[in-house]
Amino acid sequence: MEIRLQKVIAGTGLASRRKAEEWIAAGRVTVNGKVVTELGTKVDPDRVHIKVDGKHISSTQPYVYLLLNKPKNVMSTLNDPGGRPTVKDFLRGISVRVFPVGRLDFDSEGLMLLTNHGDLAQTLLHPRYHVPKTYLIKIKQVVTDDHIRQLEQGVQLEDGMTSPAIVKKVKKAKLNSWLEITIREGRQHQVKRMMEAVGHPVLKLTRIKMGPLLLGDLEPGEFRYLTDREANALRELAEQKVALAEDSAQQVPRPRPKRPVSRAGWARSKKAKVV
Ligand code: URA
């Protein structure tokens, strides 16, 4: 079946569709040895040889992106020296070695992204790139508008002031309230510590959103593959973050992150192994 060249390239996980279009327009893509710059070009990926910068794209292992609803009382790592259950126990049938992108506390639940796309994971996790994460939390007592304002403006924790959060009231009962809180940092136990700081300890925490990804109606313990649209949105987000950081770094010279991600595209991570 013939499909657009940029879609074939994006499907391998090398880049978002938009980035693949840039590569095509820049003459970096060949089909059967000929440079193709026409964006509408359609190809049958099973019948042609496509190269980007001289490298055969089908020789790269496809990237895998999974979205798991981590249950409560499960480690968000792949193994636990203490023998507690881990997210790996829930990835039945997955033979590719994927890594969790970020952490959730043992007693938290919700959205966890797992992937073998090492560079993408690095970018999403890097504090410099500020990917928003939204949590649905149940807290002790009914929260006051004053406390919400404090959370929105930033609260003082022992490791410094938090960046402004977005806080939405969801519901309240006599003794508890539910809030949605969106933060762009990823400090340890950050939401719990922020809520403690304003006098409302967290009783339950579920991550419901990360960048463009939504937990939706996945039950705790269930996982699914990201759709093409979601994977593409994630790659676009990461590319935008890197581009923005590079642009601002050009204006104000600053040290680069330890493992910078090339704006030119996503190199295959050497860490991603098949088991
Ligand atoms: N903030 C927390 O306090 N815990 C989590 O698991 C995630 C964010």
Side-chain angles (χ1 to χ4, degrees):
M1 193 181 74
E2 295 216 323
I3 41 181
R4 280 175 185 262
L5 186 53
Q6 56 266 45
K7 196 167 175 203
V8 178
I9 298 170
T12 65
L14 282 172
S16 66
R17 239 169 269 169
R18 195 171 302 160
K19 183 58 74 179
E21 285 173 5
E22 281 175 35
W23 289 351
I24 295 167
R28 294 169 57 184
V29 178
T30 58
V31 176
N32 290 338
K34 277 201 188 130
V35 174
V36 174
T37 52
E38 181 66 53
L39 288 182
T41 304
K42 286 188 167 179
V43 294
D44 180 343
D46 294 331
R47 290 168 188 271
V48 293
H49 296 284
I50 302 167
K51 288 184 179 176
V52 176
D53 294 335
K55 284 206 193 97
H56 209 285
I57 62 163
S58 59
S59 61
T60 57
Q61 162 80 22
Y63 289 121
V64 172
Y65 308 95
L66 304 175
L67 197 154
L68 169 75
N69 185 348
K70 181 188 98 65
K72 204 176 156 159
N73 299 336
V74 168
M75 294 297 287
S76 58
T77 48
L78 292 178
N79 51 57
D80 178 49
R84 287 171 291 184
T86 72
V87 290
K88 198 173 174 189
D89 301 332
F90 295 86
L91 303 179
R92 267 159 247 129
I94 300 297
S95 56
V96 176
R97 188 152 177 211
V98 289
F99 299 88
V101 180
R103 297 271 167 102
L104 275 176
D105 294 338
F106 185 66
D107 61 352
S108 299
E109 58 183 48
L111 189 158
M112 284 212 64
L113 172 68
L114 296 108
T115 182
N116 58 353
H117 193 162
D119 285 350
L120 180 98
Q122 293 270 346
T123 301
L124 296 178
L125 285 177
H126 200 289
R128 180 178 182 184
Y129 298 124
H130 310 294
V131 174
K133 289 159 283 267
T134 303
Y135 302 89
L136 175 65
I137 53 173
K138 180 181 176 189
I139 55 172
K140 262 197 186 163
Q141 297 152 10
V142 176
V143 71
T144 64
D145 287 343
D146 204 35
H147 286 156
I148 290 192
R149 249 192 313 278
Q150 277 182 44
L151 294 163
E152 285 173 340
Q153 285 166 4
V155 292
Q156 186 65 46
L157 302 180
E158 66 270 26
D159 51 355
M161 198 74 178
T162 60
S163 306
I166 300 170
V167 184
K168 210 168 98 187
K169 289 187 207 165
V170 176
K171 99 181 154 175
K172 67 176 182 192
K174 246 191 193 158
L175 298 173
N176 308 117
S177 346
W178 281 257
L179 298 178
E180 263 181 40
I181 177 162
T182 303
I183 57 171
R184 287 170 177 268
E185 299 167 291
R187 304 191 215 168
Q188 275 226 321
H189 316 303
Q190 180 163 344
V191 173
K192 289 180 188 161
R193 291 194 290 135
M194 287 169 76
M195 297 313 301
E196 285 276 353
V198 294
H200 295 282
V202 170
L203 302 173
K204 183 174 182 194
L205 182 150
T206 307
R207 181 153 63 203
I208 56 171
K209 193 163 187 247
M210 178 172 153
L213 307 179
L214 295 174
L215 180 63
D217 52 12
L218 268 189
E219 292 294 328
E222 282 183 354
F223 75 89
R224 64 172 177 82
Y225 288 88
L226 293 196
T227 62
D228 283 354
R229 187 184 282 254
E230 286 172 323
N232 204 48
L234 210 55
R235 288 189 288 261
E236 273 189 7
L237 172 78
E239 284 164 3
Q240 277 164 18
K241 296 275 176 203
V242 172
L244 274 174
E246 286 190 356
D247 286 348
S248 65
Q250 272 166 14
Q251 282 157 24
V252 185
R254 261 194 279 160
R256 295 174 66 80
K258 269 193 184 148
R259 282 200 59 211
V261 180
S262 156
R263 187 174 175 176
W266 302 102
R268 286 279 317 148
S269 162
K270 290 192 188 69
K271 270 198 204 146
K273 290 179 222 145
V274 182
V275 290

